[in-house]
Amino acid sequence: MGIIALIFSLIFVLIPIVLSKTLNLGLEKDTMIAVIRSIIQLFIVGYILKFVFDAESIIYIFLMVAVMIIAATLNARKKGAAIKGITWKIAVTLIFIEVLTQSILLGFNITPHTAQYIIPISGMMVGNGMVLAILFLNRFIAETEAHQDKAELILSLGGTPKQAVHIQLMTSIKASMIPTIESQKTIGLVQLPGMMSGQIIAGASPVQAVQFQLLVLFLLLTTASITSVMLGFLSYPTLFNKRMQLARSK
């Protein structure tokens, strides 16, 4: 795609702006900001990745992945401000997912040991982990607030903190995992996934594109389960004080 073609693609930006203006939605400014930011950010990332790929240095790969994890952590923590130490909990979860998935991929030679594979796959895993963390935290905080009296009743009857929030925890874990599982049920029928479409457009064999896409789907399932479960079990103890009482939300 050339610059001229890219400029013509801005037609797809004008459509939502016109609709927003016509219906008085007031989203014109936000849409323009989003578009301008995406253009600047993607071009910057593109040039950075080109430099990293050409350099073929493990240090640059590590730094790129570290930046991804930091950015994802800072964004996701906003939804869990009510949970003490949520920043490090999210960071530990994302780091664990990255180390686990890359250890398997590289250890079994599933993917090449190059930046062209490590960085994009890491980006998908960290990005998906961030979204799942946000989904889990939103639901878990809402569940604990909605059933606070029930949890306190269980505690008053001699129950443990884990027993007091067990249902809320399991409900939140399940709710955050469902979108990933459900979306994979219609892969190939309703939509062609981004990685597969990109490879096909780039000229790769559709069969090879399918193989890589299946790899990504399996990784996303792992990310979904580990993020929800690990973040959940790291988070729930901080909802209670030293006397095992449920802290009232402010």
Side-chain angles (χ1 to χ4, degrees), residues 109-152:
N109 289 317
I110 298 175
T111 56
H113 299 54
T114 61
Q116 285 90 334
Y117 286 87
I118 295 174
I119 293 176
I121 291 176
S122 296
M124 285 185 277
M125 296 306 101
V126 173
N128 193 66
M130 177 192 70
V131 173
L132 286 160
I134 292 173
L135 289 175
F136 169 79
L137 291 171
N138 270 334
R139 185 61 181 266
F140 186 49
I141 292 173
E143 286 287 328
T144 53
E145 290 178 350
H147 300 89
Q148 205 165 37
D149 292 337
K150 183 178 181 180
E152 290 181 339

mmCIF file of all heavy atoms in Angstrom, residues 109-152:
data_model
loop_
_atom_site.group_PDB
_atom_site.id
_atom_site.type_symbol
_atom_site.label_atom_id
_atom_site.label_comp_id
_atom_site.label_asym_id
_atom_site.label_seq_id
_atom_site.Cartn_x
_atom_site.Cartn_y
_atom_site.Cartn_z
ATOM 1 N N ASN A 109 11.174 -24.964 19.810
ATOM 2 C CA ASN A 109 11.417 -24.497 18.439
ATOM 3 C C ASN A 109 10.124 -24.405 17.623
ATOM 4 O O ASN A 109 10.106 -24.704 16.423
ATOM 5 C CB ASN A 109 12.404 -25.426 17.725
ATOM 6 C CG ASN A 109 13.816 -25.301 18.262
ATOM 7 O OD1 ASN A 109 14.297 -24.187 18.514
ATOM 8 N ND2 ASN A 109 14.482 -26.423 18.463
ATOM 9 N N ILE A 110 9.056 -23.980 18.277
ATOM 10 C CA ILE A 110 7.781 -23.798 17.573
ATOM 11 C C ILE A 110 7.866 -22.577 16.668
ATOM 12 O O ILE A 110 7.324 -22.571 15.561
ATOM 13 C CB ILE A 110 6.629 -23.646 18.586
ATOM 14 C CG1 ILE A 110 6.508 -24.930 19.430
ATOM 15 C CG2 ILE A 110 5.305 -23.362 17.867
ATOM 16 C CD1 ILE A 110 5.486 -24.832 20.545
ATOM 17 N N THR A 111 8.538 -21.548 17.150
ATOM 18 C CA THR A 111 8.761 -20.341 16.345
ATOM 19 C C THR A 111 10.251 -20.025 16.332
ATOM 20 O O THR A 111 10.982 -20.379 17.272
ATOM 21 C CB THR A 111 8.003 -19.130 16.927
ATOM 22 O OG1 THR A 111 8.399 -18.936 18.298
ATOM 23 C CG2 THR A 111 6.505 -19.350 16.864
ATOM 24 N N PRO A 112 10.736 -19.340 15.295
ATOM 25 C CA PRO A 112 12.158 -18.977 15.215
ATOM 26 C C PRO A 112 12.571 -18.029 16.339
ATOM 27 O O PRO A 112 11.753 -17.275 16.861
ATOM 28 C CB PRO A 112 12.268 -18.285 13.847
ATOM 29 C CG PRO A 112 11.123 -18.824 13.056
ATOM 30 C CD PRO A 112 10.010 -19.000 14.053
ATOM 31 N N HIS A 113 13.851 -18.046 16.678
ATOM 32 C CA HIS A 113 14.382 -17.197 17.738
ATOM 33 C C HIS A 113 14.760 -15.827 17.184
ATOM 34 O O HIS A 113 15.904 -15.372 17.303
ATOM 35 C CB HIS A 113 15.601 -17.848 18.384
ATOM 36 C CG HIS A 113 15.331 -19.164 19.034
ATOM 37 N ND1 HIS A 113 14.736 -20.223 18.372
ATOM 38 C CD2 HIS A 113 15.562 -19.588 20.301
ATOM 39 C CE1 HIS A 113 14.631 -21.251 19.198
ATOM 40 N NE2 HIS A 113 15.120 -20.897 20.379
ATOM 41 N N THR A 114 13.811 -15.150 16.573
ATOM 42 C CA THR A 114 14.091 -13.845 15.972
ATOM 43 C C THR A 114 13.073 -12.817 16.448
ATOM 44 O O THR A 114 11.955 -13.165 16.866
ATOM 45 C CB THR A 114 14.035 -13.928 14.428
ATOM 46 O OG1 THR A 114 12.719 -14.332 14.016
ATOM 47 C CG2 THR A 114 15.052 -14.929 13.899
ATOM 48 N N ALA A 115 13.468 -11.550 16.327
ATOM 49 C CA ALA A 115 12.603 -10.457 16.769
ATOM 50 C C ALA A 115 11.304 -10.410 15.977
ATOM 51 O O ALA A 115 10.261 -10.024 16.512
ATOM 52 C CB ALA A 115 13.339 -9.123 16.635
ATOM 53 N N GLN A 116 11.364 -10.801 14.701
ATOM 54 C CA GLN A 116 10.161 -10.763 13.845
ATOM 55 C C GLN A 116 9.040 -11.634 14.375
ATOM 56 O O GLN A 116 7.874 -11.404 14.079
ATOM 57 C CB GLN A 116 10.517 -11.201 12.419
ATOM 58 C CG GLN A 116 11.275 -10.156 11.623
ATOM 59 C CD GLN A 116 12.780 -10.288 11.782
ATOM 60 O OE1 GLN A 116 13.251 -10.804 12.790
ATOM 61 N NE2 GLN A 116 13.515 -9.814 10.803
ATOM 62 N N TYR A 117 9.389 -12.645 15.173
ATOM 63 C CA TYR A 117 8.373 -13.527 15.751
ATOM 64 C C TYR A 117 8.130 -13.215 17.232
ATOM 65 O O TYR A 117 6.998 -13.187 17.695
ATOM 66 C CB TYR A 117 8.806 -14.995 15.607
ATOM 67 C CG TYR A 117 8.673 -15.526 14.202
ATOM 68 C CD1 TYR A 117 9.710 -15.354 13.283
ATOM 69 C CD2 TYR A 117 7.529 -16.181 13.784
ATOM 70 C CE1 TYR A 117 9.600 -15.823 11.982
ATOM 71 C CE2 TYR A 117 7.403 -16.667 12.486
ATOM 72 C CZ TYR A 117 8.443 -16.485 11.595
ATOM 73 O OH TYR A 117 8.326 -16.952 10.308
ATOM 74 N N ILE A 118 9.209 -12.992 17.966
ATOM 75 C CA ILE A 118 9.086 -12.787 19.416
ATOM 76 C C ILE A 118 8.273 -11.545 19.751
ATOM 77 O O ILE A 118 7.355 -11.595 20.587
ATOM 78 C CB ILE A 118 10.490 -12.682 20.061
ATOM 79 C CG1 ILE A 118 11.230 -14.006 19.912
ATOM 80 C CG2 ILE A 118 10.364 -12.302 21.542
ATOM 81 C CD1 ILE A 118 12.677 -13.953 20.393
ATOM 82 N N ILE A 119 8.574 -10.422 19.108
ATOM 83 C CA ILE A 119 7.906 -9.163 19.451
ATOM 84 C C ILE A 119 6.426 -9.145 19.071
ATOM 85 O O ILE A 119 5.583 -8.804 19.910
ATOM 86 C CB ILE A 119 8.652 -7.966 18.819
ATOM 87 C CG1 ILE A 119 10.032 -7.820 19.474
ATOM 88 C CG2 ILE A 119 7.855 -6.673 18.995
ATOM 89 C CD1 ILE A 119 10.891 -6.730 18.868
ATOM 90 N N PRO A 120 6.041 -9.516 17.841
ATOM 91 C CA PRO A 120 4.602 -9.513 17.518
ATOM 92 C C PRO A 120 3.787 -10.463 18.377
ATOM 93 O O PRO A 120 2.689 -10.115 18.835
ATOM 94 C CB PRO A 120 4.579 -9.947 16.044
ATOM 95 C CG PRO A 120 5.910 -9.568 15.511
ATOM 96 C CD PRO A 120 6.864 -9.804 16.642
ATOM 97 N N ILE A 121 4.316 -11.668 18.622
ATOM 98 C CA ILE A 121 3.594 -12.632 19.453
ATOM 99 C C ILE A 121 3.498 -12.125 20.885
ATOM 100 O O ILE A 121 2.447 -12.238 21.533
ATOM 101 C CB ILE A 121 4.270 -14.016 19.397
ATOM 102 C CG1 ILE A 121 4.096 -14.617 17.998
ATOM 103 C CG2 ILE A 121 3.689 -14.950 20.448
ATOM 104 C CD1 ILE A 121 4.798 -15.943 17.799
ATOM 105 N N SER A 122 4.586 -11.543 21.385
ATOM 106 C CA SER A 122 4.564 -10.972 22.740
ATOM 107 C C SER A 122 3.535 -9.858 22.831
ATOM 108 O O SER A 122 2.802 -9.752 23.826
ATOM 109 C CB SER A 122 5.950 -10.423 23.112
ATOM 110 O OG SER A 122 6.910 -11.453 23.159
ATOM 111 N N GLY A 123 3.462 -9.039 21.784
ATOM 112 C CA GLY A 123 2.488 -7.955 21.769
ATOM 113 C C GLY A 123 1.062 -8.465 21.839
ATOM 114 O O GLY A 123 0.218 -7.901 22.553
ATOM 115 N N MET A 124 0.783 -9.540 21.104
ATOM 116 C CA MET A 124 -0.562 -10.111 21.138
ATOM 117 C C MET A 124 -0.891 -10.693 22.508
ATOM 118 O O MET A 124 -2.004 -10.539 23.018
ATOM 119 C CB MET A 124 -0.699 -11.184 20.049
ATOM 120 C CG MET A 124 -0.841 -10.620 18.656
ATOM 121 S SD MET A 124 -1.134 -11.886 17.411
ATOM 122 C CE MET A 124 0.545 -12.430 17.095
ATOM 123 N N MET A 125 0.081 -11.358 23.116
ATOM 124 C CA MET A 125 -0.147 -11.970 24.427
ATOM 125 C C MET A 125 -0.330 -10.906 25.517
ATOM 126 O O MET A 125 -1.253 -10.977 26.326
ATOM 127 C CB MET A 125 1.031 -12.881 24.810
ATOM 128 C CG MET A 125 1.241 -14.074 23.902
ATOM 129 S SD MET A 125 -0.235 -15.087 23.695
ATOM 130 C CE MET A 125 -0.806 -14.515 22.085
ATOM 131 N N VAL A 126 0.547 -9.917 25.523
ATOM 132 C CA VAL A 126 0.468 -8.860 26.537
ATOM 133 C C VAL A 126 -0.795 -8.019 26.344
ATOM 134 O O VAL A 126 -1.484 -7.687 27.306
ATOM 135 C CB VAL A 126 1.723 -7.967 26.484
ATOM 136 C CG1 VAL A 126 1.570 -6.770 27.416
ATOM 137 C CG2 VAL A 126 2.959 -8.768 26.861
ATOM 138 N N GLY A 127 -1.103 -7.688 25.091
ATOM 139 C CA GLY A 127 -2.302 -6.899 24.810
ATOM 140 C C GLY A 127 -3.565 -7.631 25.201
ATOM 141 O O GLY A 127 -4.483 -7.052 25.805
ATOM 142 N N ASN A 128 -3.620 -8.913 24.878
ATOM 143 C CA ASN A 128 -4.790 -9.708 25.249
ATOM 144 C C ASN A 128 -4.874 -9.860 26.762
ATOM 145 O O ASN A 128 -5.965 -9.808 27.346
ATOM 146 C CB ASN A 128 -4.706 -11.084 24.586
ATOM 147 C CG ASN A 128 -6.009 -11.850 24.670
ATOM 148 O OD1 ASN A 128 -7.016 -11.462 24.092
ATOM 149 N ND2 ASN A 128 -5.999 -12.948 25.403
ATOM 150 N N GLY A 129 -3.712 -10.035 27.397
ATOM 151 C CA GLY A 129 -3.687 -10.133 28.855
ATOM 152 C C GLY A 129 -4.191 -8.859 29.513
ATOM 153 O O GLY A 129 -4.897 -8.906 30.529
ATOM 154 N N MET A 130 -3.839 -7.717 28.941
ATOM 155 C CA MET A 130 -4.304 -6.434 29.464
ATOM 156 C C MET A 130 -5.825 -6.326 29.398
ATOM 157 O O MET A 130 -6.481 -5.942 30.373
ATOM 158 C CB MET A 130 -3.669 -5.288 28.679
ATOM 159 C CG MET A 130 -4.136 -3.903 29.097
ATOM 160 S SD MET A 130 -3.642 -2.608 27.927
ATOM 161 C CE MET A 130 -4.706 -3.021 26.526
ATOM 162 N N VAL A 131 -6.388 -6.686 28.248
ATOM 163 C CA VAL A 131 -7.846 -6.619 28.078
ATOM 164 C C VAL A 131 -8.539 -7.548 29.062
ATOM 165 O O VAL A 131 -9.552 -7.190 29.690
ATOM 166 C CB VAL A 131 -8.238 -6.979 26.634
ATOM 167 C CG1 VAL A 131 -9.759 -7.081 26.500
ATOM 168 C CG2 VAL A 131 -7.695 -5.937 25.664
ATOM 169 N N LEU A 132 -8.012 -8.757 29.213
ATOM 170 C CA LEU A 132 -8.604 -9.729 30.138
ATOM 171 C C LEU A 132 -8.494 -9.257 31.589
ATOM 172 O O LEU A 132 -9.407 -9.467 32.389
ATOM 173 C CB LEU A 132 -7.921 -11.084 29.970
ATOM 174 C CG LEU A 132 -8.317 -11.834 28.698
ATOM 175 C CD1 LEU A 132 -7.289 -12.894 28.344
ATOM 176 C CD2 LEU A 132 -9.689 -12.467 28.869
ATOM 177 N N ALA A 133 -7.378 -8.617 31.914
ATOM 178 C CA ALA A 133 -7.206 -8.076 33.262
ATOM 179 C C ALA A 133 -8.257 -7.010 33.550
ATOM 180 O O ALA A 133 -8.846 -6.967 34.643
ATOM 181 C CB ALA A 133 -5.805 -7.497 33.423
ATOM 182 N N ILE A 134 -8.511 -6.155 32.562
ATOM 183 C CA ILE A 134 -9.520 -5.114 32.715
ATOM 184 C C ILE A 134 -10.910 -5.721 32.878
ATOM 185 O O ILE A 134 -11.690 -5.312 33.749
ATOM 186 C CB ILE A 134 -9.496 -4.163 31.505
ATOM 187 C CG1 ILE A 134 -8.189 -3.345 31.514
ATOM 188 C CG2 ILE A 134 -10.696 -3.220 31.513
ATOM 189 C CD1 ILE A 134 -7.980 -2.499 30.274
ATOM 190 N N LEU A 135 -11.220 -6.724 32.061
ATOM 191 C CA LEU A 135 -12.525 -7.397 32.155
ATOM 192 C C LEU A 135 -12.694 -8.047 33.527
ATOM 193 O O LEU A 135 -13.746 -7.930 34.158
ATOM 194 C CB LEU A 135 -12.647 -8.459 31.063
ATOM 195 C CG LEU A 135 -12.816 -7.964 29.626
ATOM 196 C CD1 LEU A 135 -12.790 -9.140 28.654
ATOM 197 C CD2 LEU A 135 -14.116 -7.185 29.468
ATOM 198 N N PHE A 136 -11.638 -8.730 33.973
ATOM 199 C CA PHE A 136 -11.722 -9.405 35.271
ATOM 200 C C PHE A 136 -11.889 -8.404 36.405
ATOM 201 O O PHE A 136 -12.751 -8.581 37.278
ATOM 202 C CB PHE A 136 -10.471 -10.255 35.518
ATOM 203 C CG PHE A 136 -10.390 -10.756 36.933
ATOM 204 C CD1 PHE A 136 -11.153 -11.846 37.333
ATOM 205 C CD2 PHE A 136 -9.601 -10.118 37.875
ATOM 206 C CE1 PHE A 136 -11.116 -12.294 38.651
ATOM 207 C CE2 PHE A 136 -9.556 -10.552 39.191
ATOM 208 C CZ PHE A 136 -10.317 -11.648 39.583
ATOM 209 N N LEU A 137 -11.064 -7.365 36.428
ATOM 210 C CA LEU A 137 -11.120 -6.391 37.520
ATOM 211 C C LEU A 137 -12.468 -5.678 37.578
ATOM 212 O O LEU A 137 -13.022 -5.465 38.658
ATOM 213 C CB LEU A 137 -9.981 -5.373 37.362
ATOM 214 C CG LEU A 137 -8.566 -5.923 37.593
ATOM 215 C CD1 LEU A 137 -7.519 -4.905 37.197
ATOM 216 C CD2 LEU A 137 -8.395 -6.346 39.052
ATOM 217 N N ASN A 138 -12.988 -5.305 36.420
ATOM 218 C CA ASN A 138 -14.312 -4.663 36.381
ATOM 219 C C ASN A 138 -15.368 -5.552 37.015
ATOM 220 O O ASN A 138 -16.175 -5.109 37.839
ATOM 221 C CB ASN A 138 -14.702 -4.350 34.933
ATOM 222 C CG ASN A 138 -14.236 -2.974 34.489
ATOM 223 O OD1 ASN A 138 -14.061 -2.076 35.305
ATOM 224 N ND2 ASN A 138 -14.033 -2.804 33.202
ATOM 225 N N ARG A 139 -15.377 -6.809 36.594
ATOM 226 C CA ARG A 139 -16.398 -7.739 37.080
ATOM 227 C C ARG A 139 -16.187 -8.096 38.547
ATOM 228 O O ARG A 139 -17.143 -8.146 39.329
ATOM 229 C CB ARG A 139 -16.385 -9.008 36.217
ATOM 230 C CG ARG A 139 -17.482 -10.005 36.559
ATOM 231 C CD ARG A 139 -18.870 -9.392 36.347
ATOM 232 N NE ARG A 139 -19.926 -10.335 36.684
ATOM 233 C CZ ARG A 139 -20.522 -11.139 35.788
ATOM 234 N NH1 ARG A 139 -20.163 -11.079 34.507
ATOM 235 N NH2 ARG A 139 -21.458 -11.977 36.162
ATOM 236 N N PHE A 140 -14.916 -8.337 38.940
ATOM 237 C CA PHE A 140 -14.639 -8.763 40.307
ATOM 238 C C PHE A 140 -14.991 -7.681 41.321
ATOM 239 O O PHE A 140 -15.597 -7.949 42.360
ATOM 240 C CB PHE A 140 -13.161 -9.137 40.433
ATOM 241 C CG PHE A 140 -12.803 -9.737 41.769
ATOM 242 C CD1 PHE A 140 -13.556 -10.765 42.311
ATOM 243 C CD2 PHE A 140 -11.711 -9.268 42.482
ATOM 244 C CE1 PHE A 140 -13.225 -11.330 43.540
ATOM 245 C CE2 PHE A 140 -11.373 -9.816 43.708
ATOM 246 C CZ PHE A 140 -12.128 -10.849 44.239
ATOM 247 N N ILE A 141 -14.616 -6.442 41.015
ATOM 248 C CA ILE A 141 -14.933 -5.341 41.921
ATOM 249 C C ILE A 141 -16.448 -5.155 42.028
ATOM 250 O O ILE A 141 -16.992 -4.940 43.111
ATOM 251 C CB ILE A 141 -14.248 -4.038 41.454
ATOM 252 C CG1 ILE A 141 -12.735 -4.154 41.619
ATOM 253 C CG2 ILE A 141 -14.779 -2.837 42.237
ATOM 254 C CD1 ILE A 141 -11.952 -3.002 41.049
ATOM 255 N N ALA A 142 -17.136 -5.250 40.892
ATOM 256 C CA ALA A 142 -18.598 -5.115 40.891
ATOM 257 C C ALA A 142 -19.252 -6.237 41.680
ATOM 258 O O ALA A 142 -20.208 -6.005 42.436
ATOM 259 C CB ALA A 142 -19.110 -5.109 39.457
ATOM 260 N N GLU A 143 -18.739 -7.449 41.521
ATOM 261 C CA GLU A 143 -19.308 -8.606 42.227
ATOM 262 C C GLU A 143 -19.102 -8.501 43.735
ATOM 263 O O GLU A 143 -20.009 -8.787 44.516
ATOM 264 C CB GLU A 143 -18.667 -9.899 41.710
ATOM 265 C CG GLU A 143 -19.127 -10.334 40.339
ATOM 266 C CD GLU A 143 -20.537 -10.890 40.332
ATOM 267 O OE1 GLU A 143 -20.946 -11.502 41.336
ATOM 268 O OE2 GLU A 143 -21.244 -10.709 39.329
ATOM 269 N N THR A 144 -17.896 -8.107 44.153
ATOM 270 C CA THR A 144 -17.623 -8.012 45.585
ATOM 271 C C THR A 144 -18.437 -6.897 46.240
ATOM 272 O O THR A 144 -18.890 -7.035 47.391
ATOM 273 C CB THR A 144 -16.121 -7.768 45.835
ATOM 274 O OG1 THR A 144 -15.686 -6.632 45.069
ATOM 275 C CG2 THR A 144 -15.309 -8.973 45.446
ATOM 276 N N GLU A 145 -18.634 -5.804 45.518
ATOM 277 C CA GLU A 145 -19.438 -4.710 46.065
ATOM 278 C C GLU A 145 -20.908 -5.093 46.145
ATOM 279 O O GLU A 145 -21.606 -4.754 47.112
ATOM 280 C CB GLU A 145 -19.267 -3.457 45.201
ATOM 281 C CG GLU A 145 -17.897 -2.810 45.315
ATOM 282 C CD GLU A 145 -17.738 -1.608 44.406
ATOM 283 O OE1 GLU A 145 -18.634 -1.399 43.537
ATOM 284 O OE2 GLU A 145 -16.744 -0.876 44.541
ATOM 285 N N ALA A 146 -21.387 -5.834 45.158
ATOM 286 C CA ALA A 146 -22.794 -6.227 45.124
ATOM 287 C C ALA A 146 -23.121 -7.286 46.179
ATOM 288 O O ALA A 146 -24.259 -7.352 46.657
ATOM 289 C CB ALA A 146 -23.161 -6.747 43.739
ATOM 290 N N HIS A 147 -22.136 -8.106 46.542
ATOM 291 C CA HIS A 147 -22.374 -9.190 47.501
ATOM 292 C C HIS A 147 -21.546 -9.012 48.770
ATOM 293 O O HIS A 147 -21.141 -9.980 49.410
ATOM 294 C CB HIS A 147 -22.052 -10.542 46.857
ATOM 295 C CG HIS A 147 -22.879 -10.850 45.642
ATOM 296 N ND1 HIS A 147 -22.508 -10.485 44.376
ATOM 297 C CD2 HIS A 147 -24.086 -11.474 45.522
ATOM 298 C CE1 HIS A 147 -23.426 -10.882 43.507
ATOM 299 N NE2 HIS A 147 -24.398 -11.480 44.173
ATOM 300 N N GLN A 148 -21.315 -7.777 49.149
ATOM 301 C CA GLN A 148 -20.498 -7.487 50.322
ATOM 302 C C GLN A 148 -21.135 -8.015 51.603
ATOM 303 O O GLN A 148 -20.459 -8.614 52.458
ATOM 304 C CB GLN A 148 -20.288 -5.975 50.428
ATOM 305 C CG GLN A 148 -19.032 -5.582 51.188
ATOM 306 C CD GLN A 148 -18.676 -4.129 50.951
ATOM 307 O OE1 GLN A 148 -19.546 -3.277 50.853
ATOM 308 N NE2 GLN A 148 -17.396 -3.831 50.854
ATOM 309 N N ASP A 149 -22.433 -7.828 51.736
ATOM 310 C CA ASP A 149 -23.129 -8.296 52.949
ATOM 311 C C ASP A 149 -23.085 -9.812 53.063
ATOM 312 O O ASP A 149 -22.935 -10.367 54.160
ATOM 313 C CB ASP A 149 -24.583 -7.813 52.939
ATOM 314 C CG ASP A 149 -24.688 -6.300 53.087
ATOM 315 O OD1 ASP A 149 -23.737 -5.693 53.619
ATOM 316 O OD2 ASP A 149 -25.709 -5.727 52.655
ATOM 317 N N LYS A 150 -23.223 -10.493 51.945
ATOM 318 C CA LYS A 150 -23.176 -11.956 51.930
ATOM 319 C C LYS A 150 -21.795 -12.447 52.347
ATOM 320 O O LYS A 150 -21.673 -13.412 53.115
ATOM 321 C CB LYS A 150 -23.520 -12.469 50.538
ATOM 322 C CG LYS A 150 -23.569 -13.980 50.433
ATOM 323 C CD LYS A 150 -23.972 -14.404 49.022
ATOM 324 C CE LYS A 150 -24.037 -15.922 48.911
ATOM 325 N NZ LYS A 150 -24.426 -16.362 47.540
ATOM 326 N N ALA A 151 -20.762 -11.778 51.860
ATOM 327 C CA ALA A 151 -19.393 -12.163 52.218
ATOM 328 C C ALA A 151 -19.153 -11.958 53.708
ATOM 329 O O ALA A 151 -18.523 -12.792 54.376
ATOM 330 C CB ALA A 151 -18.394 -11.344 51.405
ATOM 331 N N GLU A 152 -19.663 -10.851 54.244
ATOM 332 C CA GLU A 152 -19.487 -10.576 55.674
ATOM 333 C C GLU A 152 -20.246 -11.580 56.526
ATOM 334 O O GLU A 152 -19.803 -11.941 57.624
ATOM 335 C CB GLU A 152 -19.939 -9.156 55.981
ATOM 336 C CG GLU A 152 -18.997 -8.097 55.403
ATOM 337 C CD GLU A 152 -19.443 -6.680 55.722
ATOM 338 O OE1 GLU A 152 -20.645 -6.508 56.023
ATOM 339 O OE2 GLU A 152 -18.612 -5.769 55.665
#
